[in-house]
Amino acid sequence: MVSIEGSQTNLKCLLVAAKCLSSFFDTVFTKLPQQQIEDGFNKFFISHNLTEYDVSLSATWRIISNAAISHHEHLLEVKKSCQEQKAFRESFLKTQTDFDIDFEDHEADQETQLLSIEDAVLIIQKLERKYQAISRRNYVRFVRERAAELHGQKVEIDATQAAIRIQARTRGYFARKWVREMRERELNILNMTPESYIRKRCTERDRKQKASAVGEGERIQQVEEFPGDLETALELLKTDFFFATSELPDPSKITKLPTQTNPDTVYRDACFRGIVSPNPQTELSELISQREICKIEGRLFLFDLRTFLTLTICIPLSLATWHKPKDTKVGCRWLLMSGAPDSGKTTWARATARASHITHVHISKNVVNMGKRRIYTVIKKLAKIERRILISVDRIDVLRKDPKNKGYTHRQMLLRTFLSDISNIKSATIIGMTKLPLEDLDSYILDLFPLHTVLSNPNDATRYELAVDCLSRNLELDRLPKFPKRIFDIEKQTNKVSKGKTAKFVTNRWSAANNKTNLS
C-alpha cells in the first residue's frame, strides 16, 4: 500500500489509473485465452509465495467525489429517520405486510425430492457407520467399567511404594501440563493455532477500520475534468507534482448535485415502503471471494468475483461522480448473477453499493403491501432524481423460458416494461438475481445484461476462510464461548453447502448459546 499526498494532481492521476485499469480489463485482459490467464496467475502466486486470497483489488472511496459522498451521507441520515418513524408506526399499528414479486412458490415444490442412488447409498453408509461407532463405544465403556471395578479393589501396599506412585503421577501431570502450555504458546507465536488465526483476523479488520477513519478527514477539491490517457496524466504529474497543495476547500463552495425542488420526498416515500436496502454491515473487501464463472459480452472465463465486481461495477460508478451534470453519456453495464439460494447474491449487491457510496434499491419477495406497478413507478421516479442508483431485482427468473406458453403473463409484461424504461435512464444500474441457469432465461433478458456471473458453492479453502471470518466476528461481539480445536472439522461439516448456510451454521453453532443447528 502506497500513501501519497492529497492534491488535485495526484487525484487526477488516480482517476486516470482506475479508468485505464477498468478499460484494460474489459477490452484486453478478458480476450486472452483462459489457460493463459490461469497459468499466469498461478506462476505469480508461486514465485511470490502468495495465495489468491492475498492478492485482490478493492475500490477506494478516494475515487468518489466529495459531492457524491456528502449527498450519500445525507440520504443515509434521511433513511435512518424514516426507519425510526416506520418502526414506531409498526409497533403502534402492529401490522405486518408482505409482497412477493413472484406469486409462485418454487421452494415449496423442492421440499420433497427423490434422491439419486449415490446420495441414498451415502446416507445409508453414514447411518451404518454411526451405528457401528455407537456399538464400539458401548463395548469399550463396558470394558472400562469392568477394569475399573477390578482396579478399585482394595489391596494392601507398602507406604514407600504408595508415596513413589503418587509422586510419579503428580510429576507426570505437571510435566505434561507445562509441555502443553509451552507448545500452545509457541504455536500462537507462529500463528498456527485456530485462536491465533482468529485473533489475527480481528486485528486486521480493526486496523482497516482505523485506517479508513483516519483518511476520512482528508478532503480534496472537486475535479471538473481529468485526462483520458496515461501520457497526459504522466506529463501532468511531472509538471504539477511538486506544487504546493491547496488548503481544504470551503464546504459551501463544493459543487452540489443537481436536484429538484424537494428531492427527499421520493426518497422518503421509498424508505417508508421498504424499497431502499438497509445499510450493509460488511464491506466489499471483507467478503470471502473465490474464482467464479464470469462472462462479458460472450467472453467466458474464470476470475475472482470481488475483483470482477470492482472493475466492472464499482470503478465505473465511482468515476461517474466526477463527470459534469450535463454529461448524459455516463452509464454502467448491467450484471446478471445466477446462483443457488443462500449463495450470497444479495450480500454481494449490498457490498457493491456500499463500496460505491450509491443509493441501493432492492426488490425482493418481502417488500411492501402494494402492487408491482406502484413499486416500479416509485423506483423510476427515484432513478430520475438520483445521478447514480443501483437496483437489484431478486427472482428475475419469472422471465424464464416456457415452451408451452408463447405469450407473456401479466407480471412478465410488467417486469419487461420496467426494465425497458430503466434502460433509458443512464444513471440507473441493475443487478439481476436468479436461481436458475442462465440458459433457461429469456433471450431478451440476456441481451439487457452484458455482464454475467455464476455463483457456485464454496470450495475447501473458501469454507475455511469463511469459518474463520464468522468465528472472528463472534469473538468481536463476545459471543464466542471457546475456540475450536480444529477449523478443518468445521470445514468438513459444511461440505457441499452454500455460503449463506455455511455462515449461518458456523455463527449459530459457535455462539454463546452454543446452539446446535442443522444444515437443512
Side-chain angles (χ1 to χ4, degrees), residues 174-187:
F174 284 112
R176 291 191 298 270
K177 182 179 178 181
W178 178 77
V179 171
R180 183 172 62 253
E181 292 178 353
M182 182 181 64
R183 182 172 61 250
E184 290 180 356
R185 288 196 301 269
E186 182 179 0
L187 292 178

Side-chain angles (χ1 to χ4, degrees), residues 73-89 264 267-269 271-272 279:
E73 292 176 352
H74 170 69
L75 293 181
L76 291 180
E77 295 178 358
V78 173
K79 181 168 65 173
K80 183 178 179 181
S81 62
C82 293
Q83 289 176 351
E84 293 177 353
Q85 297 179 12
K86 184 179 178 181
F88 175 76
R89 293 179 181 179
D264 295 339
Y267 186 79
R268 287 180 179 275
D269 185 18
C271 291
F272 280 123
N279 298 331

Side-chain angles (χ1 to χ4, degrees), residues 200-212 286 476:
K200 180 183 177 182
R201 183 65 61 86
C202 296
T203 305
E204 291 178 354
R205 190 181 298 112
D206 185 59
R207 178 179 56 82
K208 290 181 181 179
Q209 293 178 356
K210 290 182 179 180
S212 61
E286 296 178 356
E476 290 179 347

Side-chain angles (χ1 to χ4, degrees), residues 460-512:
D460 296 342
T462 305
R463 290 199 307 273
Y464 186 91
E465 294 291 334
L466 187 60
V468 173
D469 184 75
C470 295
L471 293 173
S472 64
R473 295 184 184 277
N474 280 358
L475 179 61
E476 290 179 347
L477 299 175
D478 295 333
R479 295 179 53 191
L480 188 64
K482 61 180 180 179
F483 291 95
K485 295 181 179 180
R486 289 174 55 87
I487 301 180
F488 285 106
D489 296 338
I490 303 176
E491 180 263 328
K492 292 180 181 179
Q493 293 175 354
T494 57
N495 189 19
K496 296 182 181 180
V497 179
S498 62
K499 291 183 179 179
K501 292 184 178 180
T502 301
K504 187 183 299 183
F505 171 77
V506 177
T507 302
N508 296 337
R509 176 65 179 84
W510 293 92
S511 62

Side-chain angles (χ1 to χ4, degrees), residues 378-412:
V378 175
I379 293 177
K380 285 188 285 187
K381 288 183 180 179
L382 187 62
K384 292 180 181 179
I385 293 176
E386 297 291 331
R387 284 194 62 193
R388 302 180 308 144
I389 185 172
L390 181 64
I391 305 172
S392 58
V393 182
D394 197 2
R395 292 198 177 187
I396 205 172
D397 48 313
V398 297
L399 296 177
R400 63 186 180 276
K401 297 179 180 178
D402 191 359
K404 297 181 180 180
N405 299 328
K406 297 182 179 180
Y408 296 100
T409 61
H410 177 65
R411 62 176 178 274
Q412 290 177 345

